[in-house]
Amino acid sequence: MVGFAQDTMSNDWRASQVNAVKEALAKYPYIRFVYTDAKGSTAQQVLDIENLVEQGIDLLITSPRDGKSMTPVISSVYKKRIPVMLLTRQIESDDFTIFLGADDHKIGAQVAERIAERLHKKGRVVMVTGVPTATTAIKRTEGFFEALKAYPEIKVVAKRNGNYLRGNAIMAMDELLNEGVMFDAIYAQSDSMAVGIRLALKKNGINPKSIPIVGIDYISEAREAIRSGEQDATFIYPTCGPEAEEYILKILKGEQTPKYVDIPSQMITIENVEQLAPIF
């Protein structure tokens, strides 16, 4: 039995990640796949992991909402000789079997380079971040700020938490606009949040085409927004479902696997949006 303790299923990317693994394993009748929905609660995700272990799982998959707080429970599972697969998010120890994901630090840096190019190396940026305790959001922020050191005339004038959710991003953008924050570009750490940001801009009478918006994930709505000029760019962030399938089978067979598997990412703009399909 393979158990996936997911952070939340209300986020379309996270739900797609679970479904990708589910579909990948469906062809193997000898593998039972179960998943849990912590509904965005770190405490619940910890309980879900403990419950999956009690059910007798042979392999744990998880994307920890809080890499620091969840290190002890994930470490305890690993020390019980239950293989642990981390998808896209990490913990603060080496007590896991394998990590699969794209390089969030590198993507954050590439977002900064794209925005610097679009702003001709001078301007004001608003950043809407993902779940603050998740390693994806932490690294996407660190990479962005590190790359911005090369562009002293680009300033991040506001940073708001959007929790990778559309509704939260709408509220975050509404707050910024009500406060009168002036900006020239927007960095959304997920395309779902970019959708919310565009809705908030339109509601406040601002045309998204007038502001470069760069996201991450490359979902269908991002593709349409890039086509229409309402989003400047995004970066593919694979759900890792197909890759997870390969390594789940190897682990269950007792085969050796690498500790880290880097899943490639790629920038999507109007130049290549028609050549590459969205992740969902």
Side-chain angles (χ1 to χ4, degrees):
M1 180 167 63
V2 174
F4 193 152
Q6 183 58 291
D7 165 14
T8 177
M9 294 293 283
S10 63
N11 174 287
D12 51 6
W13 193 94
R14 289 282 148 199
S16 179
Q17 183 181 58
V18 170
N19 290 330
V21 177
K22 181 180 179 180
E23 290 172 11
L25 297 181
K27 62 176 79 82
Y28 306 102
Y30 56 89
I31 297 178
R32 180 186 170 205
F33 177 73
V34 296
Y35 70 89
T36 57
D37 176 8
K39 301 186 188 313
S41 165
T42 299
Q44 184 59 53
Q45 197 174 17
V46 168
L47 287 173
D48 289 342
I49 289 173
E50 292 173 341
N51 288 336
L52 287 170
V53 170
E54 287 181 9
Q55 291 177 44
I57 56 170
D58 301 293
L59 186 150
L60 171 69
I61 305 172
T62 190
S63 294
R65 182 176 181 84
D66 188 326
K68 181 177 182 179
S69 311
M70 294 182 64
T71 293
V73 68
I74 292 171
S75 177
S76 71
V77 174
Y78 180 75
K79 289 176 179 176
K80 289 175 182 175
R81 299 184 181 277
I82 298 172
V84 175
M85 173 178 284
L86 300 178
L87 291 187
T88 68
R89 293 175 177 173
Q90 300 182 36
I91 58 174
E92 293 192 342
S93 81
D94 290 329
D95 290 340
F96 60 91
T97 307
I98 186 170
F99 166 82
L100 289 82
D103 188 334
D104 288 285
H105 189 280
K106 181 179 178 181
I107 291 172
Q110 290 174 322
V111 172
E113 295 291 342
R114 177 65 180 184
I115 288 177
E117 177 187 341
R118 296 290 283 110
L119 296 183
H120 306 289
K121 302 180 182 180
K122 183 178 182 179
R124 300 157 297 186
V125 181
V126 160
M127 180 191 298
V128 182
T129 62
V131 175
T133 55
T135 55
T136 48
I138 292 168
K139 293 186 177 185
R140 289 173 191 183
T141 300
E142 291 175 347
F144 185 80
F145 277 113
E146 188 171 310
L148 274 195
K149 292 177 182 177
Y151 305 100
E153 292 189 84
I154 295 180
K155 305 295 183 184
V156 175
V157 294
K159 184 161 75 81
R160 291 290 190 278
N161 174 29
N163 279 319
Y164 291 134
L165 298 173
R166 296 162 200 244
N168 288 28
I170 292 172
M171 291 187 289
M173 205 68 220
D174 275 340
E175 286 178 6
L176 291 168
L177 294 170
N178 289 335
E179 292 169 12
V181 175
M182 304 296 290
F183 52 89
D184 305 299
I186 300 172
Y187 170 24
Q189 291 189 349
S190 81
D191 284 332
S192 295
M193 293 194 299
V195 173
I197 287 166
R198 288 194 294 275
L199 290 171
L201 291 174
K202 291 176 182 177
K203 186 174 70 170
N204 286 274
I206 300 172
N207 187 347
K209 293 181 181 180
S210 66
I211 301 162
I213 300 172
V214 180
I216 299 171
D217 286 343
Y218 192 35
I219 62 177
S220 298
E221 288 154 302
R223 184 185 218 183
E224 293 306 313
I226 291 172
R227 281 171 168 167
S228 69
E230 292 190 346
Q231 184 166 328
D232 176 64
T234 188
F235 288 80
I236 294 175
Y237 202 75
T239 61
C240 303
E243 294 84 3
E245 173 190 0
E246 174 188 350
Y247 290 104
I248 287 168
L249 295 177
K250 287 186 176 181
I251 291 169
L252 293 178
K253 291 176 183 176
E255 297 178 11
Q256 289 293 110
T257 63
K259 192 79 171 178
Y260 294 90
V261 178
D262 182 37
I263 311 298
S265 176
Q266 185 175 350
M267 183 169 70
I268 304 295
T269 66
I270 194 63
E271 282 77 25
N272 62 352
V273 72
E274 302 302 337
Q275 283 74 54
L276 295 165
I279 59 171
F280 64 85

